[in-house]
Amino acid sequence: MKPASLENFKNLREENMVAMRAAQEKGIKVIGFYCTYCPREIIMTAGAIPVGLCGTRETPIAAAERDLPRNLCPLVKSSYGFAITEQCPFFLISDLIIGETTCDGKKKMFELLQDKGMKPVYVMHLPQVPDQSASHRLWYEELQRLKEYLEMTLSVEITDDALREAMQVINEESKALQRLFDLNKAKPALISGVDLMNVSFQIGFQADRRSGIDLLNSLADEIEEKAREGYTVGDLSTLRILLTGTPVGVGSEKVITLVEECGGLVVAMENCGGYKTVELRTDIDAHPDPLYLLAEKYMKIPCSVMTPNHRRLELLKRMIHDFQIDGVIDLTWQACHTYNIESYFVSKLVKDELGLPFLHLETDYSQSDLETLRVRIEAFLEMI
Amino acid sequence: MKPASLENFKNLREENMVAMRAAQEKGIKVIGFYCTYCPREIIMTAGAIPVGLCGTRETPIAAAERDLPRNLCPLVKSSYGFAITEQCPFFLISDLIIGETTCDGKKKMFELLQDKGMKPVYVMHLPQVPDQSASHRLWYEELQRLKEYLEMTLSVEITDDALREAMQVINEESKALQRLFDLNKAKPALISGVDLMNVSFQIGFQADRRSGIDLLNSLADEIEEKAREGYTVGDLSTLRILLTGTPVGVGSEKVITLVEECGGLVVAMENCGGYKTVELRTDIDAHPDPLYLLAEKYMKIPCSVMTPNHRRLELLKRMIHDFQIDGVIDLTWQACHTYNIESYFVSKLVKDELGLPFLHLETDYSQSDLETLRVRIEAFLEMI
C-alpha cells in the first residue's frame, strides 16, 4: 500500500490557492515566476510569496498560438496561454511576474506578455556562459537590480540578515526534496516516478515553505519506516530508468506514466523539477554578501541554456551510478533547441562512455503520439 | 541594360578564395565567423582575414541532420553541415573559427563543432539585453578577451592605433554599402533586390577590404551616372517591397526572386546582410579606447536575439518612410524562434501603426514550397 502521506500532496495546489488569497487579503504580495533560475530567496525576503507559473498543461496552447508561432516549445506556449486566457489562478492572483532570458522562446515570449499589459512583467537578464567571471558579475548585478526593484515596488527593505534566513529555508527545502529523491538509491526503489514528480510539482505551489518542508520530511519518514518493514516499489528485476531533459510536471508527465505502465520505473529524474537543483545549497558563511552567494548558486544550475553545460553531464554520470540506472530516457519538448541539440552529448555519455541503453524522445503536450511513444518505450525496455 | 560593374561581383567569391590561399602561403591567417556581431575590426588588426561562414545553401543540411535536430533553423544546419562535410572552401581554409552565443541553435551548435575538433572554435559570449550597462561591460570584456586570445594565438600585438585604422576601413565599407542601398530611395528604384543581395553577399568574402570598397563605390558611381541618363529598375507603378527578418544570401534568396518574378521589387532589405548594420559606424574620436567604441557599435545591431529589440522597429519605421515602401514581407526561417516571435511586433508596427500590407512567411532553404510561396506572394502583391 502506498504511503499515506502522499495524500497530503494531492490537493496542495488548491489548498495553497486558498492560502495565497488569504495572504493577499492581509497585504502580502504573490509573485509569479517561470524558471528555476529565479532567486526565490529574494522574493521571500521582500515579504512576498513566490509561485512557479511554468505551464505544464496542453489546454491553453491553442489560444497561445494566436500570438505565438506553432513550432515553439509547448512549455512556452502553455505558460503564455495560461496567462492570456486567465485560466491559471496562480497567474491571476500574481501581483507581479518575473521572467528570465533563459531560452530564445521564453525571452521573446516575455516581450509579448509585457505588451499585453495584464501584469507588470520584470525580466532578469541571464548570462549564457556559466564559468566566466563576467557572467557571475552580470548575474550578481541582476540579483541586485531585482532586489532594488522589489524594494521599490513593494516598499520594503531587504536586509542581508533576512536574506540569509530565506536562504536557510530554501536550503532546508532542497535538503528535504533531495532526501525524498535519494530514497530511490535503494534497490528495489521506494517511490515511483509518477509519485516523485507529483510531490515535487505540488510542493512548488507551497505558500508556507516551512510547512512544505515538514510535509516532505514526513513523507520521507513514512517511506523509510515502511521500508524497514519490507516495503518496496517494484522488485530487484524492475528496470531502473533515469529521465533527463526538458521540465516535466502534472499534465506533461506522459513519458513517466508510460515507462511505469510498461513495467519500468523512473527511479530518478534529472530534469528541472527533479534532481537538477536539489543539491544546490548556499553555504551561508562562505561570503559576507548573501547576494554574492545566491548569484553563485543559481549560476550552477546545469540547464542546457548554458554553454557549455558540462555540469549536467557530470551530474548525469553521478546519478547513473548512484541510482544504479539501467537505461536513460532523454526527453525533449518539440522545438526546444537547447535540450534537443545537447542530446548529442547526453547520448555520447550514456551510450559511448557508459555503454548504457539510451532513448531520445521528442514530443509535445498532446496525447496524439501516446501509442507511438508507448511502442518505443516498450521496445526500449525490452531491449535493456 | 544592367550596370556593367555588377559583373565585378559575379566571381568575387572564387577570386577571393584564390587571394586568401595566396595570403595564407605568406603566413596570413584566415578566420571564419558566423554572425554580424563578430567584431571584424579586431580580426583585421590581428593581421588576419575575417570571412563570414554563415550557411545559406541547402546542400549540406542532410548531413547536418545526422548530428543536429531536424527542426532547427536551416541557417544553423547549413553552417554546421558545410563545416562537417568540408564542402565549404572557406571553412576549409579557415585557421580558426569564431562563434557567438547569439541564438539557442547557434550557441549549442558551436559545442558540437568544438567537439568535432576539426578547427579551433572560439565562442564569444553575447549578452541578450542591449540597453543595460552590465551588458555593455560584459560585451566590452568579451572584445578584450578576443583581442587577448588573438594576440596569444597569432603571436601579434593589437595596438589601439591599428584598431582605429581598421575601424576606419570598416566605416568606409559600411558607408559604401549604405550608398548602394540608398540608391533605391529614388522612385523608380535603381537596383533590383536580387542584385543588391548578390552584391552584399559577395562582398562579404572580400579579402582586401579597400578594393572591395572601391568595387562598391564604382558600382554606385555607374548606377548614378546611368540614372542621370534616365535608367531605372521598374517604373513608378512597380510595387516597392521591404524585406525584413532572417538573413538571406545566395542559395536562400527564393523570396526575393519570387517577389521580383511576380513583378514587385525588393527595394530595401532590413535583414542581416542588408540595411541592419550599414548605418553603424564608430565615431573614432568619441572615446580614447577603440574597444569601448567597438563594443558600443556592435551592441547596437538590432537583431531579434536582443530583448527588447526596439531598434529594429525604429529602423523599419524609418526605412518604410525613406524607401517609400508599399508593403512589408517578414521572412522567418523555420524554427528561428526569435524572429518568428518578434514578427508579432513587426506586424503590429506595419499593419496597425502604419496601415501597410504585411506578409509573414515561414520557410526553409528547400525548393519544395516554391509554388505555394509564389501563390502567396502573388496574392500579396495583388492585394496592395
Side-chain angles (χ1 to χ4, degrees):
Chain A
M1 232 186 79
K2 276 198 176 189
S5 317
L6 276 176
E7 279 298 305
N8 296 335
F9 294 86
K10 217 171 168 184
N11 302 313
L12 217 52
R13 215 169 153 273
E14 291 69 23
E15 287 161 29
N16 274 294
M17 190 65 234
V18 177
M20 286 185 204
R21 281 224 180 88
Q24 267 188 327
E25 272 169 31
K26 287 184 203 148
I28 292 170
K29 302 292 181 190
V30 175
I31 297 185
F33 66 96
Y34 289 89
C35 184
T36 32
Y37 280 106
C38 182
R40 287 149 295 162
E41 292 91 338
I42 301 179
I43 299 174
M44 287 159 64
T45 313
I49 301 172
V51 62
L53 297 178
C54 184
T56 56
R57 288 176 203 268
E58 198 194 3
T59 347
I61 287 184
E65 288 175 350
R66 286 200 293 265
D67 294 332
L68 289 173
R70 287 197 59 215
N71 66 345
L72 198 64
C73 110
L75 186 151
V76 175
K77 287 190 291 191
S78 175
S79 300
Y80 180 79
F82 267 129
I84 59 158
T85 59
E86 305 195 334
Q87 278 180 50
C88 168
F90 291 95
F91 178 85
L92 268 179
I93 66 157
S94 290
D95 295 288
L96 173 69
I97 301 297
I98 297 183
E100 309 82 15
T101 62
T102 48
C103 65
D104 286 346
K106 273 194 182 170
K107 170 170 88 175
K108 300 303 283 185
M109 177 274 273
F110 289 127
E111 294 180 22
L112 265 67
L113 209 53
Q114 275 175 323
D115 188 66
K116 292 279 167 187
M118 306 167 76
K119 302 270 179 187
V121 178
Y122 179 94
V123 178
M124 298 186 74
H125 182 184
L126 185 72
Q128 308 177 62
V129 179
D131 296 311
Q132 209 175 46
S133 58
S135 300
H136 278 268
R137 208 154 48 244
L138 185 140
W139 188 233
Y140 173 78
E141 286 178 26
E142 279 299 281
L143 299 202
Q144 239 173 350
R145 198 167 67 90
L146 175 69
K147 173 176 172 272
E148 285 160 19
Y149 173 78
L150 291 179
E151 286 184 322
M152 198 191 65
T153 312
L154 308 182
S155 305
V156 290
E157 197 200 341
I158 296 177
T159 67
D160 284 0
D161 280 344
L163 262 178
R164 274 187 284 264
E165 210 175 294
M167 285 154 74
Q168 197 63 60
V169 175
I170 295 292
N171 273 352
E172 287 299 319
E173 190 184 78
S174 303
K175 217 182 286 179
L177 259 174
Q178 187 177 3
R179 185 181 163 205
L180 200 69
F181 280 107
D182 281 348
L183 290 173
N184 273 352
K185 287 185 179 169
K187 193 172 178 178
L190 294 173
I191 182 165
S192 76
V194 170
D195 286 335
L196 255 182
M197 184 277 306
N198 236 309
V199 166
S200 89
F201 181 81
Q202 297 286 355
I203 209 77
F205 296 95
Q206 189 67 8
D208 174 4
R209 319 296 280 210
R210 288 193 198 273
S211 76
I213 296 165
D214 291 344
L215 284 180
L216 290 168
N217 280 321
S218 302
L219 175 61
D221 287 343
E222 188 194 346
I223 295 175
E224 279 177 356
E225 177 64 33
K226 282 170 74 85
R228 277 189 289 274
E229 292 158 10
Y231 173 82
T232 62
V233 175
D235 54 38
L236 284 172
S237 71
T238 307
L239 290 175
R240 300 168 67 86
I241 302 302
L242 171 82
L243 181 73
T244 180
T246 41
V248 171
V250 172
S252 65
E253 72 280 66
K254 63 182 177 185
V255 168
I256 305 177
T257 311
L258 284 172
V259 169
E260 306 200 331
E261 279 176 9
C262 294
L265 206 61
V266 176
V267 294
M269 291 175 279
E270 185 271 333
N271 319 50
C272 230
Y275 216 80
K276 193 170 231 105
T277 53
V278 293
E279 288 182 328
L280 296 176
R281 314 273 158 75
T282 40
D283 176 2
I284 288 161
D285 302 319
H287 197 280
D289 182 355
L291 279 191
Y292 178 93
L293 292 167
L294 279 177
E296 209 177 33
K297 168 187 157 181
Y298 281 95
M299 280 300 285
K300 281 191 188 143
I301 298 175
C303 177
S304 60
V305 298
M306 292 292 158
T307 181
N309 187 26
H310 298 311
R311 282 200 185 87
R312 179 172 172 219
L313 299 178
E314 286 158 19
L315 175 60
L316 280 173
K317 200 171 168 179
R318 195 150 42 80
M319 287 179 76
I320 287 167
H321 173 266
D322 294 351
F323 288 92
Q324 306 173 62
I325 295 302
D326 297 310
V328 173
I329 296 181
D330 188 12
L331 172 67
T332 303
W333 297 129
Q334 269 163 23
C336 171
H337 295 334
T338 61
Y339 273 107
N340 211 354
I341 301 178
E342 197 164 287
S343 190
Y344 171 91
F345 292 103
V346 179
S347 156
K348 264 186 89 165
L349 168 75
V350 177
K351 280 162 71 176
D352 306 344
E353 192 184 325
L354 304 176
L356 277 181
F358 175 77
L359 179 66
H360 182 208
L361 296 174
E362 195 183 341
T363 180
D364 61 8
Y365 288 4
S366 81
Q367 303 298 303
S368 61
D369 62 351
L370 215 55
E371 289 317 307
T372 321
L373 284 175
R374 188 190 305 274
V375 170
R376 292 192 61 192
I377 290 168
E378 257 170 6
F380 178 67
L381 295 177
E382 274 168 27
M383 192 198 73
I384 301 180
Chain B
M1 233 187 78
K2 274 199 177 188
S5 318
L6 276 176
E7 279 299 304
N8 297 334
F9 294 87
K10 217 171 168 183
N11 302 313
L12 216 54
R13 217 169 153 273
E14 291 69 22
E15 288 161 29
N16 274 294
M17 191 64 234
V18 177
M20 284 183 203
R21 282 223 178 89
Q24 266 188 328
E25 273 169 30
K26 289 184 201 146
I28 292 170
K29 302 293 182 190
V30 174
I31 297 184
F33 66 96
Y34 289 89
C35 184
T36 32
Y37 280 106
C38 181
R40 289 149 294 162
E41 292 90 337
I42 301 179
I43 299 174
M44 287 160 64
T45 313
I49 301 173
V51 61
L53 297 177
C54 183
T56 57
R57 289 178 202 267
E58 197 193 5
T59 347
I61 288 184
E65 288 174 351
R66 286 201 293 264
D67 294 333
L68 290 172
R70 287 198 59 214
N71 68 345
L72 198 62
C73 111
L75 187 152
V76 176
K77 286 189 292 189
S78 175
S79 300
Y80 180 78
F82 267 128
I84 60 157
T85 60
E86 305 196 334
Q87 276 179 52
C88 168
F90 291 94
F91 178 85
L92 268 179
I93 66 158
S94 290
D95 296 288
L96 173 70
I97 302 297
I98 298 183
E100 309 81 15
T101 62
T102 48
C103 65
D104 286 346
K106 273 194 180 170
K107 170 170 89 177
K108 300 303 281 185
M109 177 273 274
F110 289 128
E111 295 180 20
L112 266 67
L113 209 53
Q114 277 174 323
D115 188 64
K116 293 279 166 186
M118 308 167 75
K119 303 270 180 186
V121 178
Y122 178 94
V123 179
M124 299 186 72
H125 182 185
L126 186 72
Q128 308 178 63
V129 179
D131 296 312
Q132 211 176 44
S133 58
S135 300
H136 279 269
R137 208 155 47 246
L138 186 140
W139 188 232
Y140 172 78
E141 286 178 25
E142 279 299 280
L143 298 203
Q144 240 172 350
R145 198 167 66 92
L146 175 69
K147 174 176 171 274
E148 285 160 18
Y149 174 77
L150 291 179
E151 287 183 322
M152 199 192 64
T153 312
L154 309 183
S155 306
V156 289
E157 196 200 339
I158 296 177
T159 67
D160 283 2
D161 280 343
L163 261 178
R164 273 187 285 262
E165 211 175 295
M167 284 154 75
Q168 196 64 59
V169 175
I170 294 292
N171 273 353
E172 289 298 320
E173 192 183 76
S174 303
K175 217 182 283 178
L177 260 174
Q178 187 177 3
R179 186 182 161 205
L180 201 70
F181 280 107
D182 281 350
L183 290 173
N184 273 351
K185 287 185 178 169
K187 194 173 179 179
L190 294 173
I191 182 165
S192 75
V194 170
D195 286 335
L196 255 183
M197 184 277 305
N198 236 308
V199 166
S200 89
F201 181 79
Q202 297 287 355
I203 209 75
F205 296 95
Q206 189 66 8
D208 174 3
R209 318 296 282 210
R210 286 193 201 273
S211 76
I213 296 165
D214 291 342
L215 284 180
L216 290 169
N217 279 322
S218 302
L219 175 61
D221 287 343
E222 189 195 347
I223 295 175
E224 279 178 355
E225 177 65 30
K226 282 170 74 88
R228 276 189 289 272
E229 293 158 11
Y231 172 83
T232 62
V233 175
D235 53 36
L236 285 171
S237 71
T238 308
L239 289 176
R240 301 167 65 86
I241 302 301
L242 171 82
L243 181 74
T244 181
T246 41
V248 171
V250 172
S252 65
E253 73 280 65
K254 65 182 176 184
V255 168
I256 305 177
T257 310
L258 285 172
V259 169
E260 307 202 330
E261 280 175 7
C262 295
L265 207 61
V266 176
V267 295
M269 291 174 279
E270 186 270 332
N271 318 51
C272 231
Y275 216 81
K276 192 170 233 107
T277 53
V278 293
E279 288 182 326
L280 296 177
R281 314 274 157 74
T282 40
D283 176 3
I284 289 161
D285 302 319
H287 197 279
D289 182 354
L291 279 190
Y292 178 92
L293 292 167
L294 279 176
E296 208 177 33
K297 169 188 157 182
Y298 281 95
M299 281 300 286
K300 281 188 188 146
I301 298 175
C303 178
S304 60
V305 299
M306 291 294 156
T307 182
N309 186 26
H310 298 310
R311 282 200 186 88
R312 179 173 172 218
L313 299 178
E314 286 158 20
L315 176 60
L316 281 173
K317 199 170 169 180
R318 196 151 40 81
M319 286 179 76
I320 288 167
H321 173 266
D322 294 350
F323 288 90
Q324 305 175 63
I325 295 301
D326 297 311
V328 173
I329 296 181
D330 188 11
L331 172 68
T332 302
W333 297 130
Q334 269 164 23
C336 170
H337 295 334
T338 60
Y339 273 107
N340 211 356
I341 302 177
E342 198 164 285
S343 190
Y344 171 91
F345 292 103
V346 179
S347 157
K348 264 186 90 167
L349 168 75
V350 177
K351 281 162 69 177
D352 305 345
E353 192 183 326
L354 304 176
L356 277 181
F358 175 76
L359 178 65
H360 183 207
L361 296 175
E362 194 182 344
T363 179
D364 60 9
Y365 288 3
S366 80
Q367 302 299 302
S368 61
D369 62 351
L370 215 55
E371 291 315 307
T372 321
L373 284 176
R374 190 191 304 275
V375 170
R376 292 192 62 193
I377 289 169
E378 257 171 5
F380 178 65
L381 295 177
E382 273 169 25
M383 192 199 71
I384 300 180

